[in-house]
Amino acid sequence: MKLSILVTGGAGYIGSHMVKLLVREGHQVTVLDNLSTGHRDATAGAKLVEGDLRREADVARAFGAGRIEVVMHFAASCYVGESVQNPAKYYANNVIGTINLLEAMRRADVSRLVFSSTCSTYGDPVALPMSESHPQLPVNPYGMTKLTAERAMSDYGRAYGFDTAALRYFNAAGCDPEGELGERHDPETHLIPLVIKEALRVRAGGNPEDTQLNVFGDDFDTPDGSCIRDYVHIADLCAAHLLAMERLLGGKVSGFNAFNLGTGKGYSVKEVIETCRHVTGQDIRYKIATRRAGDPARLVASAALARTELGWSPHFNELSDIVDTAWRWFSRQPSPTS
Ligand code: UDP
C-alpha cells in the first residue's frame, strides 16, 4: 500500500536512510527538517519542507501539503554531553518540538507515530541485557527529554487514541550499504566515525603516533576496562521503523508501545578499535583519556520484544560488517579528515 508519510529530521543521519527506504518502497514522503544538522542532498525522492519543529507554523506547513497518514519522528538534538551543558536546547527541540508535532497531528487527525527513542531513557543499568521494563531513570537531559516525549505519546494514546511506537535505539552505527548516504555530524562525537577518521588520517600519511583518538576511560568494570555498547546498523533500525509502521496501520499494535533495538551483543571501545583496524587495514592507535560524564560501563539490549511483536531481526550481527559499511562511505568522501 502506498502511503503518505511525514518524516521529521529526514535530512539527518538516520532519517535520511529512512527516507531512502520509504521512497524505494513506493511511499510518498514529506520531510520536515530545519537543516541545522541535516543535509538537503540527503532527501532525494522526498518533498522537503524546510522548517523548525519549535515553530507551530512550520509544523502546520508540513501537514498542509496534503494528507499525511503516518509520522516518523527523528528530528532531535542527540548529544549527551551537549545536553548537560545546554539543557534548554534539548527541552526546546526534543520536548517542545515533539509536543508541537503531536498537536499538529491532532489537528490534522493523524494518530500514528513511530518515534526515534533511545536507551538513554533507561539511565544506569540495574539489569543486563536491558528489556523495555527496565526502570527509566535517565541520567542526563538528553535521555530525560526523550523520555518526556515518550510519556507525552503514551498520554496522547490514552486520551486521544494515538497509536504510537517508541523505538529505543542502542548505539546506531554504520552507513548505507549502497554507499549513497552516511554519517555527517559536525562536530563528530561518536566512536565509530572517529575511529574511522583516525584510520583515514593514517592512510593519508599521518603518523600513527600522533593519534587524535581517545578512549574515554579504561578503568570500568569490564574485561578490558573500556565501556561496552550494543552497536546496531541503521539499515536494521530503518527496517524496524517499517515493521512498526505496518503493525500500527494493521491494528496489530495499538496505544503506546516501546521496543528496544539492538543486536544483544556488546563490544568494548577497545574491541571496536580492534575491529576497525582489521576492517581498514590501518595502524590505528589511541590514547587513554578520562571518563566522559554520564557513561555507564555497559549498555546491551534485549530486543526480544521487537523480534516477537514486530518480527524484527537485525541482518548486521557482526560489528565488522557494520564498520565495513561506514569505512566504505567515509573512504569515498572528498575531505574525510576534516
Ligand atoms: N568513546 C570513546 N572515544 C570517543 C568517542 C566515544 O571512548 O572519542 C566511547 C564512549 O565513552 C562510549 C562509547 O565510545 O563508551 C560509545 O560512544 P558514542 O559517543 O559513540 O555513543 P553513546 O554511547 O554516547 O551513544
Side-chain angles (χ1 to χ4, degrees):
M1 188 177 34
K2 194 172 164 176
L3 296 163
S4 180
I5 303 167
L6 174 64
V7 181
T8 75
Y13 169 44
I14 305 171
S16 61
H17 288 79
M18 190 73 234
V19 167
K20 180 176 170 183
L21 178 60
L22 292 173
V23 169
R24 175 167 295 175
E25 295 277 313
H27 299 299
Q28 199 178 318
V29 182
T30 304
V31 168
L32 174 62
D33 201 300
N34 64 7
L35 300 180
S36 62
T37 57
H39 306 271
R40 186 185 301 278
D41 62 5
T43 60
K47 173 178 187 295
L48 174 63
V49 175
E50 227 178 301
D52 197 307
L53 276 173
R54 291 167 298 186
R55 279 196 295 270
E56 281 180 37
D58 288 4
V59 187
R61 210 154 31 88
F63 281 88
R67 169 101 190 111
I68 300 286
E69 286 152 297
V70 187
V71 177
M72 292 193 180
H73 180 28
F74 294 91
S77 297
C78 62
Y79 296 122
V80 168
E82 185 189 52
S83 78
V84 177
Q85 306 300 322
N86 188 3
K89 175 176 174 182
Y90 282 71
Y91 280 88
N93 282 338
N94 299 358
V95 177
I96 296 173
T98 301
I99 302 298
N100 282 344
L101 178 66
L102 292 171
E103 280 300 286
M105 288 174 63
R106 210 146 74 87
R107 277 193 293 274
D109 202 19
V110 183
S111 60
R112 294 177 180 114
L113 173 72
V114 185
F115 175 57
S116 177
S117 191
T118 166
C119 64
S120 291
T121 58
Y122 294 123
D124 289 328
V126 294
L128 286 165
M130 300 164 93
S131 74
E132 290 79 0
S133 58
H134 187 284
Q136 286 183 290
L137 298 166
V139 293
N140 52 61
Y142 168 60
M144 184 57 87
T145 57
K146 285 282 186 173
L147 176 59
T148 308
E150 280 196 6
R151 292 283 153 82
M153 287 163 57
S154 168
D155 291 340
Y156 273 60
R158 265 189 301 270
Y160 310 127
F162 275 43
D163 296 324
T164 59
L167 304 184
R168 296 181 186 147
Y169 312 160
F170 279 63
N171 282 61
C175 296
D176 176 19
E178 291 168 2
E180 288 176 10
L181 298 166
E183 189 166 6
R184 285 186 272 169
H185 294 123
D186 186 19
E188 186 53 76
T189 64
H190 292 116
L191 179 64
I192 291 177
L194 287 173
V195 183
I196 286 181
K197 284 182 179 194
E198 178 57 24
L200 289 168
R201 192 187 66 79
V202 172
R203 191 179 71 171
N207 184 348
E209 303 279 350
D210 300 333
T211 182
Q212 293 167 12
L213 183 64
N214 290 309
V215 170
F216 296 141
D218 70 343
D219 55 354
F220 288 92
D221 184 18
T222 60
D224 67 19
S226 63
C227 282
I228 291 177
R229 295 286 179 273
D230 182 338
Y231 295 89
V232 54
H233 196 278
I234 48 167
D236 287 322
L237 296 181
C238 292
H241 281 71
L242 214 53
L243 290 167
M245 180 182 82
E246 285 164 10
R247 296 297 188 281
L248 292 175
L249 287 164
K252 295 221 173 67
V253 293
S254 58
F256 173 77
N257 305 268
F259 300 100
N260 284 344
L261 299 179
T263 63
K265 275 195 228 167
Y267 293 90
S268 73
V269 173
K270 289 181 185 173
E271 285 171 334
V272 169
I273 296 171
E274 191 49 47
T275 302
C276 291
R277 271 198 199 114
H278 182 73
V279 169
T280 65
Q282 301 301 316
D283 181 8
I284 305 167
R285 315 264 181 103
Y286 57 83
K287 289 177 280 197
I288 301 297
T290 51
R291 289 183 182 196
R292 201 172 61 172
D295 261 343
R298 293 171 198 254
L299 292 173
V300 179
S302 163
L305 199 63
R307 286 174 196 272
T308 54
E309 295 287 308
L310 301 180
W312 179 75
S313 62
H315 288 105
F316 287 85
N317 282 300
E318 294 301 323
L319 183 63
S320 55
D321 293 336
I322 295 177
V323 168
D324 185 57
T325 62
W327 172 239
R328 277 190 283 128
W329 188 79
F330 276 100
S331 304
R332 283 166 48 175
Q333 299 313 297
S335 53
T337 51
S338 61

PDB file of all heavy atoms in Angstrom, residues 316-336:
ATOM      1  N   PHE A 316      22.643  -7.143  10.316  1.00  0.00           N
ATOM      2  CA  PHE A 316      24.050  -6.844  10.602  1.00  0.00           C
ATOM      3  C   PHE A 316      24.354  -7.284  12.040  1.00  0.00           C
ATOM      4  O   PHE A 316      24.181  -6.514  12.977  1.00  0.00           O
ATOM      5  CB  PHE A 316      24.338  -5.350  10.432  1.00  0.00           C
ATOM      6  CG  PHE A 316      24.362  -4.909   9.000  1.00  0.00           C
ATOM      7  CD1 PHE A 316      23.194  -4.559   8.345  1.00  0.00           C
ATOM      8  CD2 PHE A 316      25.568  -4.848   8.299  1.00  0.00           C
ATOM      9  CE1 PHE A 316      23.221  -4.150   7.015  1.00  0.00           C
ATOM     10  CE2 PHE A 316      25.600  -4.443   6.972  1.00  0.00           C
ATOM     11  CZ  PHE A 316      24.424  -4.096   6.327  1.00  0.00           C
ATOM     12  N   ASN A 317      24.737  -8.549  12.171  1.00  0.00           N
ATOM     13  CA  ASN A 317      25.010  -9.069  13.506  1.00  0.00           C
ATOM     14  C   ASN A 317      26.480  -9.006  13.887  1.00  0.00           C
ATOM     15  O   ASN A 317      26.828  -9.208  15.038  1.00  0.00           O
ATOM     16  CB  ASN A 317      24.517 -10.515  13.611  1.00  0.00           C
ATOM     17  CG  ASN A 317      23.009 -10.542  13.800  1.00  0.00           C
ATOM     18  OD1 ASN A 317      22.508  -9.996  14.779  1.00  0.00           O
ATOM     19  ND2 ASN A 317      22.305 -11.108  12.852  1.00  0.00           N
ATOM     20  N   GLU A 318      27.331  -8.773  12.899  1.00  0.00           N
ATOM     21  CA  GLU A 318      28.766  -8.721  13.173  1.00  0.00           C
ATOM     22  C   GLU A 318      29.228  -7.270  13.131  1.00  0.00           C
ATOM     23  O   GLU A 318      28.948  -6.551  12.166  1.00  0.00           O
ATOM     24  CB  GLU A 318      29.551  -9.518  12.123  1.00  0.00           C
ATOM     25  CG  GLU A 318      29.290 -11.006  12.157  1.00  0.00           C
ATOM     26  CD  GLU A 318      29.625 -11.608  13.507  1.00  0.00           C
ATOM     27  OE1 GLU A 318      30.621 -11.173  14.137  1.00  0.00           O
ATOM     28  OE2 GLU A 318      28.872 -12.496  13.952  1.00  0.00           O
ATOM     29  N   LEU A 319      29.957  -6.866  14.138  1.00  0.00           N
ATOM     30  CA  LEU A 319      30.447  -5.482  14.177  1.00  0.00           C
ATOM     31  C   LEU A 319      31.298  -5.166  12.942  1.00  0.00           C
ATOM     32  O   LEU A 319      31.240  -4.058  12.399  1.00  0.00           O
ATOM     33  CB  LEU A 319      31.253  -5.259  15.457  1.00  0.00           C
ATOM     34  CG  LEU A 319      31.760  -3.841  15.652  1.00  0.00           C
ATOM     35  CD1 LEU A 319      30.609  -2.848  15.784  1.00  0.00           C
ATOM     36  CD2 LEU A 319      32.670  -3.748  16.873  1.00  0.00           C
ATOM     37  N   SER A 320      32.069  -6.153  12.481  1.00  0.00           N
ATOM     38  CA  SER A 320      32.940  -5.888  11.322  1.00  0.00           C
ATOM     39  C   SER A 320      32.111  -5.519  10.092  1.00  0.00           C
ATOM     40  O   SER A 320      32.536  -4.675   9.289  1.00  0.00           O
ATOM     41  CB  SER A 320      33.847  -7.081  11.026  1.00  0.00           C
ATOM     42  OG  SER A 320      33.066  -8.234  10.858  1.00  0.00           O
ATOM     43  N   ASP A 321      30.938  -6.107   9.948  1.00  0.00           N
ATOM     44  CA  ASP A 321      30.090  -5.762   8.793  1.00  0.00           C
ATOM     45  C   ASP A 321      29.536  -4.343   8.927  1.00  0.00           C
ATOM     46  O   ASP A 321      29.399  -3.621   7.943  1.00  0.00           O
ATOM     47  CB  ASP A 321      28.922  -6.757   8.665  1.00  0.00           C
ATOM     48  CG  ASP A 321      29.422  -8.138   8.299  1.00  0.00           C
ATOM     49  OD1 ASP A 321      30.524  -8.242   7.725  1.00  0.00           O
ATOM     50  OD2 ASP A 321      28.719  -9.117   8.616  1.00  0.00           O
ATOM     51  N   ILE A 322      29.207  -3.950  10.151  1.00  0.00           N
ATOM     52  CA  ILE A 322      28.719  -2.586  10.394  1.00  0.00           C
ATOM     53  C   ILE A 322      29.836  -1.588  10.072  1.00  0.00           C
ATOM     54  O   ILE A 322      29.646  -0.611   9.338  1.00  0.00           O
ATOM     55  CB  ILE A 322      28.244  -2.425  11.862  1.00  0.00           C
ATOM     56  CG1 ILE A 322      27.029  -3.330  12.129  1.00  0.00           C
ATOM     57  CG2 ILE A 322      27.930  -0.960  12.175  1.00  0.00           C
ATOM     58  CD1 ILE A 322      26.523  -3.316  13.561  1.00  0.00           C
ATOM     59  N   VAL A 323      31.022  -1.860  10.602  1.00  0.00           N
ATOM     60  CA  VAL A 323      32.161  -0.963  10.382  1.00  0.00           C
ATOM     61  C   VAL A 323      32.500  -0.892   8.897  1.00  0.00           C
ATOM     62  O   VAL A 323      32.815   0.180   8.368  1.00  0.00           O
ATOM     63  CB  VAL A 323      33.389  -1.442  11.197  1.00  0.00           C
ATOM     64  CG1 VAL A 323      34.661  -0.717  10.761  1.00  0.00           C
ATOM     65  CG2 VAL A 323      33.144  -1.237  12.692  1.00  0.00           C
ATOM     66  N   ASP A 324      32.389  -2.007   8.208  1.00  0.00           N
ATOM     67  CA  ASP A 324      32.719  -2.046   6.780  1.00  0.00           C
ATOM     68  C   ASP A 324      31.858  -1.059   5.982  1.00  0.00           C
ATOM     69  O   ASP A 324      32.365  -0.351   5.108  1.00  0.00           O
ATOM     70  CB  ASP A 324      32.524  -3.478   6.266  1.00  0.00           C
ATOM     71  CG  ASP A 324      32.976  -3.605   4.829  1.00  0.00           C
ATOM     72  OD1 ASP A 324      34.147  -3.300   4.564  1.00  0.00           O
ATOM     73  OD2 ASP A 324      32.139  -3.970   3.974  1.00  0.00           O
ATOM     74  N   THR A 325      30.555  -0.973   6.313  1.00  0.00           N
ATOM     75  CA  THR A 325      29.698  -0.031   5.575  1.00  0.00           C
ATOM     76  C   THR A 325      30.125   1.411   5.849  1.00  0.00           C
ATOM     77  O   THR A 325      30.095   2.256   4.956  1.00  0.00           O
ATOM     78  CB  THR A 325      28.201  -0.183   5.947  1.00  0.00           C
ATOM     79  OG1 THR A 325      28.009   0.115   7.334  1.00  0.00           O
ATOM     80  CG2 THR A 325      27.680  -1.567   5.623  1.00  0.00           C
ATOM     81  N   ALA A 326      30.543   1.685   7.086  1.00  0.00           N
ATOM     82  CA  ALA A 326      30.986   3.043   7.439  1.00  0.00           C
ATOM     83  C   ALA A 326      32.319   3.353   6.756  1.00  0.00           C
ATOM     84  O   ALA A 326      32.515   4.435   6.203  1.00  0.00           O
ATOM     85  CB  ALA A 326      31.115   3.170   8.951  1.00  0.00           C
ATOM     86  N   TRP A 327      33.218   2.403   6.757  1.00  0.00           N
ATOM     87  CA  TRP A 327      34.545   2.600   6.142  1.00  0.00           C
ATOM     88  C   TRP A 327      34.399   2.880   4.656  1.00  0.00           C
ATOM     89  O   TRP A 327      35.030   3.780   4.108  1.00  0.00           O
ATOM     90  CB  TRP A 327      35.400   1.360   6.401  1.00  0.00           C
ATOM     91  CG  TRP A 327      36.725   1.325   5.689  1.00  0.00           C
ATOM     92  CD1 TRP A 327      37.154   0.375   4.808  1.00  0.00           C
ATOM     93  CD2 TRP A 327      37.814   2.251   5.819  1.00  0.00           C
ATOM     94  NE1 TRP A 327      38.410   0.651   4.373  1.00  0.00           N
ATOM     95  CE2 TRP A 327      38.850   1.797   4.971  1.00  0.00           C
ATOM     96  CE3 TRP A 327      38.008   3.432   6.544  1.00  0.00           C
ATOM     97  CZ2 TRP A 327      40.065   2.470   4.843  1.00  0.00           C
ATOM     98  CZ3 TRP A 327      39.222   4.107   6.412  1.00  0.00           C
ATOM     99  CH2 TRP A 327      40.219   3.630   5.579  1.00  0.00           C
ATOM    100  N   ARG A 328      33.528   2.130   3.996  1.00  0.00           N
ATOM    101  CA  ARG A 328      33.357   2.326   2.551  1.00  0.00           C
ATOM    102  C   ARG A 328      32.808   3.719   2.263  1.00  0.00           C
ATOM    103  O   ARG A 328      33.237   4.394   1.342  1.00  0.00           O
ATOM    104  CB  ARG A 328      32.447   1.243   1.962  1.00  0.00           C
ATOM    105  CG  ARG A 328      33.245  -0.028   1.667  1.00  0.00           C
ATOM    106  CD  ARG A 328      32.471  -1.031   0.866  1.00  0.00           C
ATOM    107  NE  ARG A 328      31.518  -1.733   1.692  1.00  0.00           N
ATOM    108  CZ  ARG A 328      30.229  -1.860   1.415  1.00  0.00           C
ATOM    109  NH1 ARG A 328      29.725  -1.314   0.331  1.00  0.00           N
ATOM    110  NH2 ARG A 328      29.439  -2.524   2.232  1.00  0.00           N
ATOM    111  N   TRP A 329      31.867   4.176   3.090  1.00  0.00           N
ATOM    112  CA  TRP A 329      31.287   5.504   2.840  1.00  0.00           C
ATOM    113  C   TRP A 329      32.295   6.619   3.136  1.00  0.00           C
ATOM    114  O   TRP A 329      32.517   7.509   2.321  1.00  0.00           O
ATOM    115  CB  TRP A 329      30.005   5.696   3.656  1.00  0.00           C
ATOM    116  CG  TRP A 329      29.318   6.968   3.266  1.00  0.00           C
ATOM    117  CD1 TRP A 329      28.541   7.178   2.166  1.00  0.00           C
ATOM    118  CD2 TRP A 329      29.400   8.223   3.933  1.00  0.00           C
ATOM    119  NE1 TRP A 329      28.117   8.479   2.113  1.00  0.00           N
ATOM    120  CE2 TRP A 329      28.634   9.142   3.185  1.00  0.00           C
ATOM    121  CE3 TRP A 329      30.041   8.663   5.087  1.00  0.00           C
ATOM    122  CZ2 TRP A 329      28.486  10.473   3.560  1.00  0.00           C
ATOM    123  CZ3 TRP A 329      29.904   9.990   5.460  1.00  0.00           C
ATOM    124  CH2 TRP A 329      29.127  10.882   4.697  1.00  0.00           C
ATOM    125  N   PHE A 330      32.924   6.531   4.304  1.00  0.00           N
ATOM    126  CA  PHE A 330      33.874   7.598   4.680  1.00  0.00           C
ATOM    127  C   PHE A 330      35.054   7.645   3.703  1.00  0.00           C
ATOM    128  O   PHE A 330      35.584   8.717   3.405  1.00  0.00           O
ATOM    129  CB  PHE A 330      34.399   7.390   6.107  1.00  0.00           C
ATOM    130  CG  PHE A 330      33.483   7.943   7.159  1.00  0.00           C
ATOM    131  CD1 PHE A 330      32.610   7.119   7.858  1.00  0.00           C
ATOM    132  CD2 PHE A 330      33.486   9.300   7.456  1.00  0.00           C
ATOM    133  CE1 PHE A 330      31.759   7.634   8.829  1.00  0.00           C
ATOM    134  CE2 PHE A 330      32.647   9.832   8.427  1.00  0.00           C
ATOM    135  CZ  PHE A 330      31.780   8.987   9.112  1.00  0.00           C
ATOM    136  N   SER A 331      35.468   6.493   3.195  1.00  0.00           N
ATOM    137  CA  SER A 331      36.611   6.448   2.274  1.00  0.00           C
ATOM    138  C   SER A 331      36.332   7.208   0.995  1.00  0.00           C
ATOM    139  O   SER A 331      37.258   7.645   0.311  1.00  0.00           O
ATOM    140  CB  SER A 331      36.927   5.004   1.861  1.00  0.00           C
ATOM    141  OG  SER A 331      37.155   4.231   2.973  1.00  0.00           O
ATOM    142  N   ARG A 332      35.045   7.355   0.651  1.00  0.00           N
ATOM    143  CA  ARG A 332      34.693   7.997  -0.607  1.00  0.00           C
ATOM    144  C   ARG A 332      34.407   9.483  -0.460  1.00  0.00           C
ATOM    145  O   ARG A 332      34.103  10.144  -1.439  1.00  0.00           O
ATOM    146  CB  ARG A 332      33.455   7.297  -1.199  1.00  0.00           C
ATOM    147  CG  ARG A 332      33.855   5.968  -1.826  1.00  0.00           C
ATOM    148  CD  ARG A 332      32.686   5.088  -2.117  1.00  0.00           C
ATOM    149  NE  ARG A 332      31.606   5.756  -2.813  1.00  0.00           N
ATOM    150  CZ  ARG A 332      30.525   5.124  -3.246  1.00  0.00           C
ATOM    151  NH1 ARG A 332      30.380   3.832  -3.022  1.00  0.00           N
ATOM    152  NH2 ARG A 332      29.568   5.770  -3.858  1.00  0.00           N
ATOM    153  N   GLN A 333      34.478  10.005   0.763  1.00  0.00           N
ATOM    154  CA  GLN A 333      34.179  11.419   0.947  1.00  0.00           C
ATOM    155  C   GLN A 333      35.371  12.287   0.557  1.00  0.00           C
ATOM    156  O   GLN A 333      36.521  11.902   0.775  1.00  0.00           O
ATOM    157  CB  GLN A 333      33.779  11.713   2.411  1.00  0.00           C
ATOM    158  CG  GLN A 333      32.538  10.971   2.841  1.00  0.00           C
ATOM    159  CD  GLN A 333      31.418  11.089   1.818  1.00  0.00           C
ATOM    160  OE1 GLN A 333      30.924  12.182   1.553  1.00  0.00           O
ATOM    161  NE2 GLN A 333      31.023   9.981   1.204  1.00  0.00           N
ATOM    162  N   PRO A 334      35.109  13.478  -0.019  1.00  0.00           N
ATOM    163  CA  PRO A 334      36.192  14.305  -0.535  1.00  0.00           C
ATOM    164  C   PRO A 334      37.193  14.784   0.513  1.00  0.00           C
ATOM    165  O   PRO A 334      38.392  14.721   0.277  1.00  0.00           O
ATOM    166  CB  PRO A 334      35.472  15.502  -1.177  1.00  0.00           C
ATOM    167  CG  PRO A 334      34.023  15.352  -0.880  1.00  0.00           C
ATOM    168  CD  PRO A 334      33.787  13.994  -0.334  1.00  0.00           C
ATOM    169  N   SER A 335      36.746  15.274   1.677  1.00  0.00           N
ATOM    170  CA  SER A 335      37.726  15.767   2.653  1.00  0.00           C
ATOM    171  C   SER A 335      37.471  15.081   3.984  1.00  0.00           C
ATOM    172  O   SER A 335      36.950  15.673   4.915  1.00  0.00           O
ATOM    173  CB  SER A 335      37.634  17.272   2.817  1.00  0.00           C
ATOM    174  OG  SER A 335      36.299  17.629   3.120  1.00  0.00           O
ATOM    175  N   PRO A 336      37.811  13.798   4.031  1.00  0.00           N
ATOM    176  CA  PRO A 336      37.395  12.971   5.152  1.00  0.00           C
ATOM    177  C   PRO A 336      38.051  13.306   6.484  1.00  0.00           C
ATOM    178  O   PRO A 336      37.512  12.996   7.524  1.00  0.00           O
ATOM    179  CB  PRO A 336      37.772  11.557   4.726  1.00  0.00           C
ATOM    180  CG  PRO A 336      38.854  11.730   3.722  1.00  0.00           C
ATOM    181  CD  PRO A 336      38.651  13.071   3.086  1.00  0.00           C
TER     182      PRO A 336
END
